[in-house]
Structure formats: structure tokens, C-alpha cells
Amino acid sequence: MSQAGTSQASVIMRQSSATMYPILLAISIVHLLNDAIQSIIPAMFPVLRDSLSLSFAQIGWIGFTLNMTASVIQPAIGLYTDARPKPYLLPIGMLFSLAGVIGLAFAPSFVWLLVFVVLVGIGSAVLHPESSRVAHLAAGSRKGLAQSIFQLGGNTGQALAPVLAALIFIPLGQKSMLWFTLAAGAAIIVQISVSRWYGNHLSVSRRQSSVGQADVRKVALSRGTVALALTVLVFMLFSKFVYMASMTGYYAFYLMDRFHMTTEHAQYYLFALLIAGMVGTFVGGPLADRFGRRNMIWFSILGTAPFSLLLPYAGPLWSLILCVLIGLILLSGFSVIVVYAQELLPGKVGTIAGLFFGLAFGLGGIGSALLGYLADWAGMEIVIKVSAFLPLLGLLAALLPSDAILAGKRPERK
């Protein structure tokens, strides 16, 4: 190898143990822009319902289509890119989102709306597994913190969507979604820069044959233990994302029906929920480092239950307070779940990221569709009351292997 190549390789090797904050910040910003685009769709449900005369069931199918597109594609992309990383996919994914946003602004019917929602879903499906791999590469020894920084961007984008909807998009109508072409364009520019760093890192790492060596587990877990743990994590995702689908897709309608709020006023409750979730996401990783990942997963789901069960019976002020508490606790655990799962299956960073982000979107989409039918059949109040029980599934976290067993510091019980 040439002296220049050796020098570049040594830089990459030093970076592999250092946390690359500029890269983490870049992918977090793109995650913010992507999830703001994606989250504005359910935030715009009241506008779309009026402009296209949609039923609640059709609204549910929009959410289902958006989330299931990402759910089906993401695991496949993660599995493929674990074997063949493709840095150029990062800006290409955002091109799909850009096309989807332009189409959504002019969609003349329910069917065309679904077509353009699919394009946004494809863009999101490409972003998550590859950006999660970039977070893993840029993390150095701080995997939990890196995943929290990456996820913080997504949660911030989700939190901004209801406020943007209330201030801009709902007053101006469907065509105002064209403003998000600026967000998609900015994301493409940032992704081009990130993809160059990613490509350089991979090129030198391949020559050094060192990619993935840091992920060797000290003590292998049995297949049964891994299967049980992954099953429990799926139930955690189910409880979290179906409950979030009930809140982001239908809670505004509930507030409008029960308290006679305006559409804009109801969006601020969702903003409170999601901005608190942004804080929870940021602190979730450090808290998991201090108190253990299994404990944090348990707390983030089960700890939400008392507040979700109280929410349907609270007045306007207490509803706002409960939304803050629910967002703070519930959204603190997702980045921890992803890192925990990546430790269960080392060397499968993209596959796990694609699978878990895909499941998150898929379960949210299924929940959105089913809750839409339930709303048409039984009313919005029943939707909020039934979904309030979902965080009780956090009890299953007791079945997860402890952090000590996962790290190989204590033998697995047979």
C-alpha cells in the first residue's frame, strides 16, 4: 500500500474509535427533514379529508400505505446493503421523497394520493437502514449515544410537523405542501456530502479488512434466547407504534370532538407530545448507559401506561400535561431497542436497522388502518380508550436477557 494510502487508512482507523459528531449531526438533520416530510401527511389529514371528501377508513389507508411501503422495503435494503453497502443510495432516497411531496401537493383523488404517499415511503425506506449504518460507523465506542443523536433528528421532525401544519399548511391548504420541496432539496445536498464520507470510510476499511470486527460478541447467546428476545422487542414496537399511530393520526379529531377545539389548536397537543418525545429520545441513550438497556426498554413502554390510561378521562389542561409525560417516556426507548437488537445479532447493523425501522412503520400503518375502521364504527373516543392499554405490553420486557448476559459478563441460563 502507498504511503498516502497508509496515512489515509490510519486516519480511518483512528476515526473508528472516535465519535464523529459532524457526521452524526448531518444524518440527524437529514432524519429531521425526512421525518418532517413524512409526519406532515398525518398532520394534514383534516385538510385532506375536507379537500378530497375522505372517510376515516380512507385516512387509515393513507397511513397504512405510507408506513407499509417503508416497512416492506426497509428490511430488504438493510439485508442487501449489509453485504454490499451503497453510499449513493442516501441522496437517491431523498429524490423519491422530493417527487412524492410535489405529487401530494397536486393529488386530485384518493388513488393518486396513495401513489405519491408510496414515493415518500420509498424515500424513508432507503434513508433509515443506510443512515443507521452511517451512525454505527461514526459512533466509535458510543453506539447508544450515536443512535440517540440520529433518532433525535427524526423525533424533532415529527414534533415540528403538527406545528407547521397548524401555522402554515392547514391555513393554506393542500398545495402548501410544495414548501417541503425545500426540505427535500436541502436533505439531498447533505446526503451527497455524507455519502462521500461513507464511501471513503468503506473504501479504506475494506482494504484493511476491518469492517465489523468490533462487533464480535464475547459469549454467544443460544438461538432460542435470541429468538425470544427479538419476539419481545417486536411486541415492544407494536405497543409503542400502534399507540403513537392512535395519537398522531386520531387524537386531534378526538380533541376536536370532545372539547370543540379548532384543528389548529388540536395540533399543538400533538406538538407537545412529540417535542417531549424529542427530549426523551435524546436522554434515552445516556440513561440506558447508566441504568441498563433492558431497564430502559421496560421503563419506556410500561412507564407510559399510567398516563395513557388516564388520558381519555382528563380535561384540556391535564390532557396537555399527560401528552408531555407520554411523549417524554414512550419515545425514550426506540434508539435503545435498536442498539439492543444490534447487539443480539452483531454484524447485522443494516438488517436490524431496516427490520426495526420497517416494523415501526409497518405496525404503525396497520394500527392506523385498523383504528380508522374502529373510529368509523365506534367513534373516536373508543379509539383513544382502547389504545391506552397498549403500553401494558411493556411487562414482557422482563423476558429480555440482562445487559450483563448480552455483554458476555455473565453466563446465559440454560
Side-chain angles (χ1 to χ4, degrees):
M1 183 182 295
S2 67
Q3 185 175 359
T6 302
S7 176
Q8 185 182 20
S10 65
V11 170
I12 294 293
M13 293 301 290
R14 287 196 300 271
Q15 289 179 352
S16 67
S17 60
T19 303
M20 302 297 296
Y21 289 102
I23 298 299
L24 292 175
L25 179 61
I27 61 173
S28 185
I29 289 171
V30 173
H31 201 187
L32 184 158
L33 297 172
N34 176 85
D35 281 27
I37 292 171
Q38 189 169 1
S39 298
I40 202 66
I41 296 174
M44 288 285 285
F45 280 171
V47 170
L48 296 173
R49 183 190 180 199
D50 292 340
S51 63
L52 298 177
S53 301
L54 304 178
S55 67
F56 283 121
Q58 287 176 313
I59 286 174
W61 276 107
I62 295 171
F64 175 83
T65 301
L66 175 66
N67 290 298
M68 284 304 295
T69 301
S71 177
V72 171
I73 296 173
Q74 281 190 76
I77 291 175
L79 184 63
Y80 177 75
T81 56
D82 269 337
R84 304 173 185 84
K86 303 294 183 186
Y88 61 80
L89 286 178
L90 293 171
I92 288 177
M94 291 310 303
L95 284 172
F96 279 94
S97 296
L98 176 61
V101 167
I102 295 171
L104 286 170
F106 298 101
S109 66
F110 173 65
V111 173
W112 277 108
L113 201 63
L114 292 182
V115 170
F116 296 121
V117 160
V118 166
L119 294 180
V120 174
I122 291 173
S124 186
V126 173
L127 177 135
H128 287 99
E130 279 298 87
S131 291
S132 187
R133 186 195 310 283
V134 171
H136 187 82
L137 292 173
S141 59
R142 310 188 71 179
K143 305 298 184 188
L145 175 64
Q147 195 64 229
S148 287
I149 292 173
F150 171 59
Q151 191 60 29
L152 175 65
N155 283 41
T156 304
Q158 293 169 19
L160 289 175
V163 166
L164 292 173
L167 295 177
I168 301 173
F169 299 107
I170 290 175
L172 297 181
Q174 184 178 343
K175 287 185 174 59
S176 64
M177 294 182 74
L178 280 173
W179 282 105
F180 264 119
T181 58
L182 299 177
I188 290 169
I189 293 171
V190 176
Q191 289 290 62
I192 290 172
S193 177
V194 172
S195 67
R196 288 173 180 163
W197 177 89
Y198 183 16
N200 291 335
H201 189 102
L202 289 174
S203 177
V204 176
S205 295
R206 283 174 184 143
R207 291 201 298 270
Q208 293 295 312
S209 301
S210 62
V211 174
Q213 290 180 3
D215 279 332
V216 177
R217 187 187 289 126
K218 297 176 183 177
V219 177
L221 299 176
S222 68
R223 289 184 178 180
T225 298
V226 172
L228 175 62
L230 289 174
T231 301
V232 170
L233 293 178
V234 169
F235 274 103
M236 299 297 100
L237 292 180
F238 173 82
S239 64
K240 177 186 184 300
F241 284 98
V242 175
Y243 183 72
M244 284 302 296
S246 75
M247 294 297 289
T248 57
Y250 300 101
Y251 190 59
F253 292 113
Y254 170 80
L255 292 171
M256 291 159 62
D257 289 345
R258 184 175 181 190
F259 301 120
H260 307 291
M261 292 183 185
T262 63
T263 303
E264 292 83 357
H265 190 185
Q267 294 295 327
Y268 289 114
Y269 281 70
L270 297 184
F271 174 72
L273 172 81
L274 295 171
I275 203 71
M278 182 186 74
V279 176
T281 296
F282 184 71
V283 302
L287 287 176
D289 290 338
R290 180 177 177 83
F291 298 107
R293 287 178 184 143
R294 184 180 71 168
N295 292 337
M296 194 63 203
I297 293 169
W298 193 339
F299 170 73
S300 71
I301 307 298
L302 187 60
T304 305
F307 308 110
S308 66
L309 291 169
L310 285 172
L311 186 62
Y313 307 98
L317 176 59
W318 276 105
S319 293
L320 183 63
I321 294 170
L322 290 171
C323 280
V324 170
L325 294 172
I326 288 168
L328 184 66
I329 298 171
L330 185 62
L331 296 180
S332 66
F334 182 63
S335 61
V336 182
I337 289 174
V338 172
V339 173
Y340 186 96
Q342 288 172 341
E343 291 182 349
L344 282 171
L345 292 172
K348 300 292 183 182
V349 175
T351 302
I352 289 296
L355 177 63
F356 276 72
F357 279 105
L359 280 171
F361 289 120
L363 293 171
I366 292 171
S368 179
L370 294 178
L371 292 171
Y373 281 109
L374 181 61
D376 281 337
W377 175 63
M380 200 57 64
E381 186 174 353
I382 295 298
V383 169
I384 302 303
K385 287 182 176 179
V386 168
S387 60
F389 287 90
L390 288 169
L392 291 174
L393 289 174
L395 288 166
L396 294 174
L399 300 175
L400 292 172
S402 69
D403 288 47
I405 291 174
L406 198 62
K409 296 177 181 179
R410 198 170 71 208
E412 177 188 356
R413 293 179 181 178
K414 300 296 183 182

